[in-house]
Amino acid sequence: MKVHALGSWEQVPSSPSTSSSFSSSSANDPKRLRPLAPRLTSAAVSTAVATEISAPPKLRKSFSSPMTAKCASIDLDVSLIQMQSGGTRWNPTPEQIKLLEALYQGGMRTPNPVQIERITMELGKYGRIEGKNVFYWFQNHKARERQKQKRSELLALAASAAPLPHPKVQLQKEEIKEFHGGSCKRKCRSWGSLELAVEEEGPGDRTLELFPLHPERKQM
Amino acid sequence: MKVHALGSWEQVPSSPSTSSSFSSSSANDPKRLRPLAPRLTSAAVSTAVATEISAPPKLRKSFSSPMTAKCASIDLDVSLIQMQSGGTRWNPTPEQIKLLEALYQGGMRTPNPVQIERITMELGKYGRIEGKNVFYWFQNHKARERQKQKRSELLALAASAAPLPHPKVQLQKEEIKEFHGGSCKRKCRSWGSLELAVEEEGPGDRTLELFPLHPERKQM
DNA sequence: GCAAATTAATGATTTATTCAAG
DNA sequence: CTTGAATAAATCATTAATTTGC
C-alpha cells in the first residue's frame, strides 16, 4: 500500500481503499449544465433524504469511497460512477449543526487539519460527513456572520442618522423583514414598493455589464 | 473519497461541546491582523503533516514531490524535509517557467488534477516541485494577467478620454432574462472583459480548490 | 390538502486581495 | 518589485421552506 502521505492535500487512507480523490472532482465537465437527470420530485427527494439520514453508512457507497486509484487513468471512471451515484451535497443534521455552532461560539474559526479531522469524526456519528464539509462550513459561517454584522451596523447607522424620510440604504432581505416588524413575511417582490424606497429584489439580481462578447462560449 | 486516517481520536466524548480540545484552538479572531507566523517547530510540523487531513474539494491526489512520480512512500520524507528546511517556497527554474508559460499561452488556465499531475511530473525533471505549486502558478498567473489587462485598458481609456466601454446598467430581473434570451442563465459576470470571454476551456477541465495547508499559522 | 412555483438558506466554487519571502 | 502562498469575498448551484392556485 502506498500511502503517500501526507503530501499536502492528500489524506492518508488507513486502508488501501482510497485515495483517488481526484474523483472528487465531482461535477466534472458538465459543470454548469443542468443535470441530465431531471430534478427529483419532492417525494423522491424526501425519501432519499430520509433514508440517507437514517442510514448514513449505507447509501452512496461509491461516492464516499471510491476505491481506486491512484492512477490517473482510472479516475475518469471513478468520476463517472460517482456522478451517476448521485453525489449530493452535504446536508447537516441538527446535531451536527449544533456542535459546529458550539465550536464557532467557542472561538473556532479556521480549524487546522488536525482539528478538522477530529470534528469530522465526531460529527460522523450523526451522519455522513467529510473534512471538506467542516472546512467549508467554517468558511461560510465566518463569512456570513461577518456579512450579518456589517449589515446590522449599516442598519443601525441609517436608523440613527436618518433625517431623510427614505434613507438611501440598500437593505438586505433579512433587514427588510426586520424593518417591517415581521408583519410582512415574504413576498419580497412587492416590498420594493412599500414605504421604504427599497428597490432591491431577489437574489437573482445583479449588476451586469452589457455587451457580452462571446456569451455562447461560456456554458453551453 | 474519503478517508481518514490517522488522527487518533482517543476518548471521544459523548458530549462534544465540552471537549476542551475543540474550543482551545483559536480563541482569537484577529479581524484583520495577520499574526506573524511563527516558524513551526519541527515537532509541530511533523505532527501537522502526519495528520494532514485534507479533503480538498477537488485535488486530492498526492501532488507532492516530483520524485515520487508514481506513488510513493517517499512523499512523506520529502514533505518533511521541505517543511523542516525552513519552509522554503517553490522557486521555479527557467525551464519550468518556460513550460508553464507555454501551456498558458496554449490556453491552459485551470488545469484539472490529472493535468496537474502530468505537469508536475514533467516539471519535476527540472527541479523539485509539487502539484500545489502548479496550481498556484496558474491561479496567480491568470489573476495577474487579468490585472495587467485591466490596467492597460484603463490607461488606454484615460488616454483617449473615451466614454466607458462597458456602461454599467442596473437591469431588473425580467430584463435580464429577456436580454439573455435564456441561452445563458447566469455566469454573466465576466462578459465585459475581452480576455475573459475566451478563457474558458473544454468540458474536461476542472478547477482545483486548495485546502489550507497551514491554517494553524493563523491561530497561534 | 397537495403539488407546482417561489423564495430563502447555505453548501461548494471561483475570483480578488493580501501577506510576505527572495 | 516580483510572485508563491493563503485567505477573504463574491458567486454559483442545490436544497429546504414557504406560498399559491386548485
Side-chain angles (χ1 to χ4, degrees):
Chain A
M1 114 164 209
K2 23 219 347 317
V3 174
H4 314 285
L6 335 173
S8 348
W9 304 318
E10 165 94 320
Q11 182 146 345
V12 179
S14 49
S15 67
S17 58
T18 111
S19 123
S20 122
S21 13
F22 265 66
S23 44
S24 62
S25 36
S26 30
N28 214 331
D29 4 284
K31 214 178 186 182
R32 316 281 185 213
L33 290 182
R34 222 32 182 156
L36 298 177
R39 202 177 279 227
L40 295 169
T41 63
S42 60
V45 171
S46 300
T47 301
V49 172
T51 304
E52 167 122 17
I53 292 177
S54 59
K58 284 244 317 181
L59 288 193
R60 262 184 240 119
K61 200 206 212 126
S62 57
F63 181 76
S64 58
S65 61
M67 21 202 66
T68 68
K70 41 241 350 265
C71 295
S73 55
I74 314 181
D75 282 316
L76 288 179
D77 304 300
V78 175
S79 294
L80 283 177
I81 292 172
Q82 190 171 320
M83 296 193 70
Q84 291 180 331
S85 63
T88 59
R89 71 182 196 180
W90 169 56
N91 199 2
T93 68
E95 290 88 1
Q96 292 177 327
I97 290 186
K98 194 165 280 185
L99 176 47
L100 287 169
E101 287 181 336
L103 292 172
Y104 187 90
Q105 178 61 26
M108 186 172 281
R109 293 291 179 280
T110 306
N112 63 34
V114 176
Q115 295 172 312
I116 286 188
E117 174 160 11
R118 288 182 185 153
I119 297 169
T120 301
M121 303 213 127
E122 183 58 29
L123 296 186
K125 296 177 180 175
Y126 308 104
R128 179 169 57 85
I129 187 173
E130 299 174 51
K132 69 173 186 179
N133 304 130
V134 173
F135 171 71
Y136 283 143
W137 189 90
F138 277 96
Q139 286 271 95
N140 282 319
H141 198 68
K142 179 171 55 176
R144 278 154 185 161
E145 283 298 311
R146 247 188 310 237
Q147 291 178 346
K148 224 187 283 181
Q149 179 65 22
K150 202 179 284 183
R151 272 177 304 181
S152 67
E153 277 175 8
L154 254 179
L155 192 67
L157 205 140
S160 66
L164 291 168
H166 300 315
K168 261 306 193 197
V169 177
Q170 199 83 350
L171 297 183
Q172 297 303 308
K173 267 181 196 153
E174 280 310 313
E175 299 167 335
I176 293 171
K177 214 187 270 179
E178 244 173 69
F179 187 83
H180 289 155
S183 59
C184 182
K185 297 176 183 176
R186 297 220 171 172
K187 208 52 173 170
C188 311
R189 207 52 90 73
S190 54
W191 286 359
S193 58
L194 291 178
E195 56 249 316
L196 245 197
V198 176
E199 312 186 2
E200 198 47 34
E201 276 94 280
D205 290 316
R206 300 200 190 339
T207 300
L208 302 177
E209 293 189 358
L210 295 179
F211 311 127
L213 298 187
H214 302 297
E216 63 277 56
R217 303 191 65 151
K218 302 276 268 190
Q219 139 107 342
M220 292 238 184
Chain B
M1 63 178 17
K2 236 33 308 49
V3 175
H4 317 71
L6 325 159
S8 47
W9 168 253
E10 62 251 55
Q11 174 210 26
V12 178
S14 53
S15 59
S17 59
T18 60
S19 168
S20 60
S21 62
F22 276 179
S23 53
S24 63
S25 60
S26 59
N28 63 357
D29 181 23
K31 239 148 196 228
R32 274 305 189 184
L33 289 183
R34 200 173 275 239
L36 262 331
R39 219 59 231 141
L40 296 169
T41 65
S42 61
V45 170
S46 299
T47 301
V49 173
T51 41
E52 187 89 308
I53 210 188
S54 79
K58 301 153 156 230
L59 220 190
R60 256 110 90 49
K61 203 69 187 220
S62 73
F63 288 107
S64 339
S65 67
M67 28 199 48
T68 57
K70 38 203 39 199
C71 353
S73 41
I74 313 179
D75 276 327
L76 205 169
D77 304 296
V78 174
S79 295
L80 282 177
I81 290 170
Q82 187 173 327
M83 299 193 74
Q84 290 181 330
S85 64
T88 57
R89 69 182 195 179
W90 170 55
N91 199 5
T93 68
E95 290 87 2
Q96 292 177 328
I97 290 188
K98 194 165 279 185
L99 208 150
L100 288 169
E101 287 182 335
L103 291 173
Y104 188 91
Q105 177 62 26
M108 184 171 282
R109 293 293 181 279
T110 307
N112 64 33
V114 176
Q115 296 173 310
I116 285 191
E117 174 159 17
R118 288 182 188 151
I119 297 169
T120 301
M121 286 181 177
E122 184 57 30
L123 297 187
K125 295 177 182 174
Y126 308 104
R128 188 202 305 160
I129 186 173
E130 299 175 52
K132 70 172 187 177
N133 303 130
V134 173
F135 173 73
Y136 279 142
W137 189 89
F138 277 98
Q139 286 275 89
N140 284 319
H141 198 68
K142 179 170 58 174
R144 279 154 187 161
E145 284 298 310
R146 218 180 259 145
Q147 292 177 343
K148 229 187 281 181
Q149 179 67 20
K150 206 180 280 181
R151 260 175 302 179
S152 68
E153 274 177 10
L154 255 179
L155 255 174
L157 206 139
S160 65
L164 287 169
H166 305 311
K168 287 191 177 176
V169 178
Q170 189 85 9
L171 297 183
Q172 294 307 304
K173 213 181 258 175
E174 286 311 313
E175 298 172 328
I176 293 171
K177 231 182 254 173
E178 204 178 301
F179 183 80
H180 292 155
S183 60
C184 184
K185 298 172 183 176
R186 297 200 181 180
K187 219 25 178 175
C188 316
R189 190 163 34 132
S190 48
W191 285 359
S193 163
L194 289 168
E195 296 305 302
L196 290 178
V198 253
E199 102 175 9
E200 224 32 46
E201 285 100 17
D205 290 312
R206 284 298 294 163
T207 299
L208 302 176
E209 183 69 25
L210 284 180
F211 190 78
L213 257 33
H214 305 299
E216 64 275 13
R217 292 176 59 160
K218 296 271 290 188
Q219 309 177 11
M220 297 180 152

